[in-house]
Amino acid sequence: MISVIVYGRNDSHGYNSHRRAALSLNAIAEVLSDDGDEILFADFNTPDDMPTFPEAVADTLTSRARARIRVLRIRPAIAEPMRRGSRLQVIEPAARNIAVRRMRPANRWILSTNPDMIVVPRVEGRSLSDVARELPDGFYELPRFELPAPLWESLDRTDPREAIRKLRRWGKRFHLNEVVTRHPSYLFDAPGDFQLILRDQFCEVDGFDERMVRGWHVDANLARRLWMLNGETSSLLDHFFGYHCDHTLHAGVMHGAGVGENDYRRFFWEVREPRIPEQRERWGLPDREIEEIRIDGSQAGFATSLEALVPGMREDTIATHLAPKTGNRRVLYDVDHAFPYLASHFASIPPESTIGYVGNNTELIDRLLEFLAARGFKGRVLALDEMHRFSPGPVSYTH
């Protein structure tokens, strides 16, 4: 029914980002009830040696959220050309478009939102999927209500049902529910925090405009084009409240000097056509393979991979003596002890990488090859010919 599109990067994007994202993702999953509903997290430009953002917070996500989240890892090699010289590490239109290209084709609706939003049904027990199933064709927005940091920080991120129940009461009790109206095309201020879009219409207007590589107005541009296509923009305020976890206690990435913003005149007022023909065949990199990661337990984790390869210790401890004459001069080492530390450097690398090994430990390299193969490694491991004395040159292992 619904594919929820969110994006981010494993960095510190504003105040207490990991906590509010976990709270938001759990709450979004809570209001999805159709079997085909999913949350696509476009992880854009996280460094290759780090896990994606959802992997980093997976222990604080509910089983319901983990089951629905698909992580699309857009590595730096793919992300960098799409930045087009921007100072931003994450390019929103590119990230969202890549996710939409890879959503479940059977899902009729796209919800473009952010991982700091909490959607609260006005009628308890009524899901977003229930409402979307009955909606006529169109484009739908929701006003954003600001939630002060001390309030959302007081919510248990692992109990989204209770968080939603509290917000249904707090919104009115604390005078939070202020509707700020704007242009008829997007109805409300901050339109990008809730945009419910028909998948067919999103494709018809050629997605988000990937020329917008600076901050702001990406959502307004899409809203204007969908408004032109439909002739109107509709509100879901009768069904839902949308609360934004405020994170302005400290300046965020978008508030830094020199970031700049997309030209509002060019990308809003001067837009006369809903479609973008020049990017029709290429938006969202349709022909590029994008790595997908699941955090629902269906893929082997690092510890599980080690369990299959490293035997347990016979005693509770092992002992090594460090003396000045032995420091940095040892050539012998315990493979079982060294391997977990070696393997940790390859836990998040691109699956098509090339790894070079300089050494003479066949046991270590064989174990590394097994570890990489179990984790879906598709690249090569190159070793010196001393490892295989009958080889004429460098040895290439391909998995």
Side-chain angles (χ1 to χ4, degrees), residues 163-181:
I164 289 171
R165 188 191 66 79
K166 286 183 176 179
L167 288 180
R168 192 179 290 113
R169 181 171 63 89
W170 286 355
K172 186 175 180 179
R173 179 67 180 81
F174 299 141
H175 300 255
L176 304 178
N177 298 349
E178 180 186 22
V179 178
V180 181
T181 57

Side-chain angles (χ1 to χ4, degrees), residues 245-282:
C245 298
D246 180 72
H247 48 92
T248 55
L249 288 176
H250 303 284
V253 173
M254 301 297 291
H255 306 115
V259 170
E261 64 179 56
N262 295 299
D263 187 339
Y264 191 67
R265 178 178 295 276
R266 174 190 176 191
F267 289 110
F268 187 79
W269 292 115
E270 295 179 359
V271 172
R272 298 288 183 267
E273 163 63 38
R275 302 163 186 83
I276 313 175
E278 56 266 39
Q279 72 173 38
R280 179 159 302 150
E281 302 303 320
R282 58 179 174 80

Side-chain angles (χ1 to χ4, degrees), residues 2-27:
I2 302 174
S3 291
V4 179
I5 308 298
V6 294
Y7 74 102
R9 179 176 186 259
N10 194 357
D11 60 12
S12 182
H13 180 64
Y15 175 75
N16 209 347
S17 60
H18 286 72
R19 178 164 184 168
R20 56 188 163 86
L23 173 63
S24 172
L25 291 171
N26 288 338

Side-chain angles (χ1 to χ4, degrees), residues 92-140:
E92 180 182 351
R96 293 195 187 278
N97 282 351
I98 287 172
V100 172
R101 281 284 193 186
R102 289 151 184 88
M103 65 178 279
R104 287 171 56 96
N107 283 354
R108 182 169 182 253
W109 293 99
I110 297 166
L111 174 59
S112 180
T113 185
N114 291 307
D116 54 12
M117 286 294 294
I118 303 173
V119 177
V120 176
R122 297 184 68 165
V123 176
E124 187 172 359
R126 184 91 161 136
S127 72
L128 180 60
S129 310
D130 294 335
V131 173
R133 192 175 294 108
E134 300 170 358
L135 287 176
D137 289 359
F139 169 54
Y140 296 85

